[in-house]
Amino acid sequence: MSRTHDPAGVTVLRGRVLTFLDEPRGRDDHGSYRYIEDGAVVIGGDGRILMIGPFKPEAAAHHKVIDHRPHLILPGLIDPHIHFPQMQVIASYAANLLEWLNTYTFVEEQRFSDEAHATRIASRFFDELIRHGTTTAAAYCSVHPQSVDAFFSEAASRGMLVVGGKVMMDRNAPEALRDTPQRGYDETKAGIGKWHGKGRALYAITPRFAITSSHEQLEMAEALAREFPDLHIQTHVDENLAEVQFARELYPNLPDYLGIYERYHLLGPKTLLGHCIHLTHRECEVLAETRSVAVWCPTSNLFIGSGLFDHDRLREHGARIAVATDVGGGTSYSMLRTLDEGYKVLQLRAQRLDPLRSFYMMTLGNARAMSLEDRIGSLQAGRDADLVVLDSHATPQMSLRMEAVDLLVNELFLLQTCGDDRAVVETYVMGKPMKSALET
Ligand code: GUN
Ligand code: ZN
């Protein structure tokens, strides 16, 4: 590393730069990405990318250069579905979703009425994301506004672009976790006013799922969506068979589970729908027509035993797909681990998930699914400098395996199959190194 006087505060990261340009059509779609073997990401003092290109040795004469060779520099990883109050729920033993929710999750989330607890966990949450190379997440907070304040305050202190919102839930949950239609509306509206658009914070209208929201509450969510049409909406759908049956019993006059959200005009291009495992043909069509996003959560679906996501069926319908951890139903904060499990799920379905597509999904694909691709998800001039640096030799066995790796796609596949937080050398948020700062 060299350091020279540079009033503009420009930093140059040197390494093997990889960024996607578009969705890869297969393992050999070399036009879908840009790879620069000895590359540079030039970051301005404002934390935005000025340019990327081949590294020029003369850069060192003018700017601070951080040499990450031989590691890969990619856009920061994006997790579009995660529950921050569930950090201490991971690894809870249950037979199915509703048992898991009632026995552990709805008990744990009650602790987030305590602002000090919410702040402690939110701080640990963002540290964990950074440790795993995740720079943006769409998160569910608890029902308590205190949890929303803790979430956005801790994100802001790290400069992170995050999406989040208080879960609206007014039935089929312990009293301490229930709001009312009016309170859910008022607290959501107050949260939007307090946080949305402040720095990099984005508020998401968050009716937890149809089972925990009454008709009146979904009407309130609809009113909020009408008042704030630019906001994300996040919820769950078609995760588990007993859950689907319960939701349909609660709304017997509607055609299916997704039809509930359709009825309240909650579907659209900024709607993130967790799981989408047990969809009917009509639901697939509605997903595609409304441009809503199916958020696949492989580690969670395996751990809770919910089912195997049908990736190709949704693609054939033209639906938009994202991929996420769903911690604490999900078992890892790592998007590498998540895509590894996703690969195995699709193996069981005789569907292919090539490594280019996996890495596209973790970065530009998820950015597009969240309608954030003009800010994050790729390395190009004008984008926020949220980056991750990955080491394909992170463990002795990976290093040994790398001796026999010839192609970039095979290196990516190794990172996905064997990598985790140990493979994350550094995480940059708006050009600032964050992971190394945690460890010192
Ligand atoms: N459905 C409603 N709430 C939840 C949750 O917290 N986790 C999962 N996996 N599914 C849900
Ligand atoms: Zn979830």
Side-chain angles (χ1 to χ4, degrees):
M1 182 169 107
S2 65
R3 216 184 260 271
T4 41
H5 180 65
D6 175 14
V10 170
T11 304
V12 178
L13 306 187
R14 184 176 188 183
R16 298 164 57 222
V17 175
L18 175 64
T19 185
F20 285 88
L21 307 169
D22 209 343
E23 183 171 344
R25 271 170 248 284
R27 206 170 163 276
D28 299 317
D29 186 359
H30 302 298
S32 66
Y33 63 91
R34 184 168 181 205
Y35 173 66
I36 312 167
E37 179 77 28
D38 186 3
V41 180
V42 183
I43 303 169
D46 64 353
R48 296 225 161 73
I49 297 173
L50 290 170
M51 59 164 290
I52 72 164
F55 179 75
K56 297 202 179 87
E58 45 296 5
H62 308 288
H63 307 300
K64 175 175 162 183
V65 175
I66 301 175
D67 193 347
H68 282 300
R69 287 175 303 163
H71 304 317
L72 286 163
I73 304 175
L74 289 98
L77 310 180
I78 299 171
D79 184 351
H81 184 122
I82 185 164
H83 298 256
F84 107 78
Q86 294 177 14
M87 291 192 84
Q88 293 178 304
V89 176
I90 294 185
S92 291
Y93 184 81
N96 55 53
L97 173 67
L98 298 178
E99 182 186 315
W100 178 86
L101 282 172
N102 289 317
T103 313
Y104 308 103
T105 309
F106 288 168
V107 177
E108 175 66 19
E109 291 193 11
Q110 295 181 40
R111 298 173 71 201
F112 288 75
S113 61
D114 174 0
E115 197 171 334
H117 178 71
T119 300
R120 170 172 178 256
I121 298 296
S123 172
R124 295 294 293 269
F125 177 75
F126 289 112
D127 288 353
E128 214 51 54
L129 293 189
I130 284 163
R131 208 186 302 289
H132 288 84
T134 297
T135 49
T136 284
Y140 291 65
C141 303
S142 71
V143 73
H144 316 95
Q146 304 86 296
S147 76
V148 174
D149 291 345
F151 174 80
F152 283 120
S153 303
E154 290 298 318
S157 73
R158 292 160 177 79
M160 293 172 75
L161 197 173
V162 293
V163 178
K166 141 203 162 70
V167 286
M168 302 167 73
M169 47 197 294
D170 68 347
R171 64 168 167 176
N172 292 317
E175 173 151 27
L177 281 191
R178 293 201 302 264
D179 52 17
T180 63
Q182 191 62 48
R183 225 174 95 201
Y185 173 89
D186 292 343
E187 291 176 351
T188 298
K189 194 162 175 170
I192 295 167
K194 188 165 181 183
W195 292 108
H196 185 69
K198 302 280 157 63
R200 302 179 84 199
L202 298 173
Y203 197 98
I205 299 166
T206 311
R208 184 179 198 124
F209 65 155
I211 289 175
T212 48
S213 284
S214 64
H215 160 76
E216 292 75 19
Q217 179 155 77
L218 290 182
E219 277 186 342
M220 288 300 196
E222 177 179 14
L224 287 162
R226 208 178 310 112
E227 272 179 73
F228 301 99
D230 293 339
L231 262 57
H232 288 92
I233 298 172
Q234 54 182 355
T235 189
H236 298 83
V237 73
D238 287 310
E239 177 175 3
N240 162 278
L241 287 173
E243 172 225 15
V244 175
Q245 195 185 337
F246 191 7
R248 298 209 47 191
E249 281 164 16
L250 293 170
Y251 292 91
N253 300 324
L254 296 176
D256 43 47
Y257 194 164
L258 196 65
I260 303 169
Y261 303 129
E262 186 184 18
R263 152 80 175 74
Y264 297 95
H265 301 99
L266 295 173
L267 302 182
K270 296 192 83 174
T271 301
L272 304 171
L273 294 158
H275 305 294
C276 296
I277 302 284
H278 303 286
L279 297 165
T280 65
H281 181 78
R282 196 198 82 88
E283 288 175 298
C284 292
E285 288 185 333
V286 171
L287 256 183
E289 277 161 20
T290 59
R291 308 291 300 138
S292 305
V293 178
V295 186
W296 176 25
C297 306
T299 73
S300 170
N301 299 152
L302 291 171
F303 179 75
I304 297 182
S306 301
L308 306 178
F309 185 82
D310 197 338
H311 182 266
D312 287 3
R313 178 180 183 225
L314 280 171
R315 294 236 311 180
E316 280 153 22
H317 275 90
R320 297 165 73 205
I321 301 173
V323 60
T325 66
D326 191 32
V327 162
T331 50
S332 173
Y333 294 87
S334 167
M335 290 303 294
L336 298 172
R337 304 288 351 105
T338 300
L339 270 296
D340 178 47
E341 297 299 303
Y343 173 84
K344 295 172 191 170
V345 165
L346 296 196
Q347 287 289 84
L348 290 174
R349 281 205 172 273
Q351 297 178 13
R352 308 310 312 270
L353 180 68
D354 66 77
L356 280 184
R357 182 164 169 78
S358 285
F359 276 77
Y360 163 79
M361 289 183 88
M362 290 180 230
T363 56
L364 182 58
N366 277 348
R368 285 178 167 174
M370 294 175 71
S371 305
L372 291 172
E373 69 272 23
D374 55 349
R375 297 175 66 179
I376 55 170
S378 60
L379 305 180
Q380 56 175 298
R383 297 289 185 272
D384 297 347
D386 290 352
L387 318 163
V388 64
V389 182
L390 296 180
D391 177 8
S392 309
H393 296 77
T395 65
Q397 63 105 354
M398 287 174 73
S399 199
L400 185 67
R401 178 65 180 87
M402 272 300 286
E403 289 176 14
V405 165
D406 43 0
L407 301 171
L408 177 66
V409 284
N410 293 337
E411 180 179 353
L412 296 178
F413 196 48
L414 172 62
L415 270 168
Q416 172 185 302
T417 308
C418 300
D420 52 29
D421 54 319
R422 291 169 296 179
V424 176
V425 172
E426 187 58 281
T427 305
Y428 289 90
V429 173
M430 291 298 276
K432 272 180 58 182
M434 302 291 285
K435 182 164 177 174
S436 53
L438 282 180
E439 287 159 348
T440 52

